[in-house]
Amino acid sequence: MQEILNDFLTESTEMIDVLDQRFIVLESDPNNADLLNEIFRAMHSMSMSAALSWPKALDLAVHHLMLDVGGGSGAHSIGATLHWPHLQAVVFDRDAETLNIAQAFIEQYGVRERVRTQMGDMLNEPFPLADLHLFSAIYHHWSPERGLDRRQVLELGQCVWLGQHLNVLVVGPTGGGKSFL
């Protein structure tokens, strides 16, 4: 088991180094669709290990529709719906190209009947209705300048929403791993 973990950490570190280089290039060429696609595929690959693991640790039987807030490639929606066949999911993100990439992954994993994408800005628009909300590695976007509601963050940190069976909070460093509350 330790050898598998070491291999994962080595590969993740290498992928993060490559991503860092790609992000620098993307800054000077922000319309490079091929580069953006490469970055999202790498990030998706790193997210899938967690996305396939956390749904096994939680009982989602009472939930019917999960909103994946800032869902990016859709990895967590894919993982949750693969493990919970009754569950439907919405990948909610603000970028059309990101959602196109997510749609390709959704189709690749064969969950297009239960996972859809919806464009929207999590910072400025109301969330679509859902009985389960997933927040994964997105809180770096909510700064005081953007109207951070500290009461809500405290509630999330204390698992108030989880206790009410309303939300799942998955946080952690982007791609490198997740902590489950």
Side-chain angles (χ1 to χ4, degrees), residues 5-18:
L5 178 61
N6 289 341
D7 288 345
F8 171 77
L9 292 174
T10 299
E11 289 175 15
S12 294
T13 301
E14 290 170 0
M15 192 170 294
I16 289 170
D17 289 342
V18 169

Side-chain angles (χ1 to χ4, degrees), residues 21 23 62 65 73 80 83 109 120 123 150 153 156-158 161:
Q21 294 168 10
F23 278 119
V62 300
L65 180 60
S73 73
H83 188 73
Y109 283 90
L123 300 172
R150 296 201 182 280
V153 172
L156 288 168
Q158 295 167 357
W161 289 358

Side-chain angles (χ1 to χ4, degrees), residues 32-83:
N32 186 331
D34 291 336
L35 182 58
L36 186 62
N37 190 24
E38 179 185 344
I39 289 169
F40 270 91
R41 289 189 179 285
M43 292 174 67
H44 176 79
S45 295
M46 292 177 66
S47 294
M48 278 308 292
S49 61
L52 293 171
S53 298
W54 73 260
K56 296 174 186 175
L58 298 173
D59 183 359
L60 304 182
V62 300
H63 298 286
H64 303 284
L65 180 60
M66 180 180 84
L67 180 64
D68 188 352
V69 180
S73 73
H76 292 285
S77 291
I78 292 165
T81 56
L82 285 173
H83 188 73

Side-chain angles (χ1 to χ4, degrees), residues 105-175:
F105 284 123
I106 290 164
E107 290 177 17
Q108 177 184 334
Y109 283 90
V111 292
R112 70 181 166 139
E113 299 298 319
R114 293 182 298 119
V115 180
R116 66 180 175 85
T117 60
Q118 181 172 336
M119 190 175 327
D121 184 346
M122 69 181 178
L123 300 172
N124 298 307
E125 297 176 25
F127 292 161
L129 293 178
D131 66 346
L132 174 69
H133 294 78
L134 182 129
F135 303 86
S136 176
I138 62 167
Y139 286 106
H140 58 280
H141 292 295
W142 280 333
S143 65
E145 297 80 31
R146 289 189 166 173
L148 176 70
D149 183 339
R150 296 201 182 280
R151 180 189 51 79
Q152 285 180 316
V153 172
L154 287 173
E155 285 180 0
L156 288 168
Q158 295 167 357
C159 301
V160 171
W161 289 358
L162 286 170
Q164 297 170 355
H165 301 285
L166 296 176
N167 294 274
V168 173
L169 173 63
V170 182
V171 297
T174 302

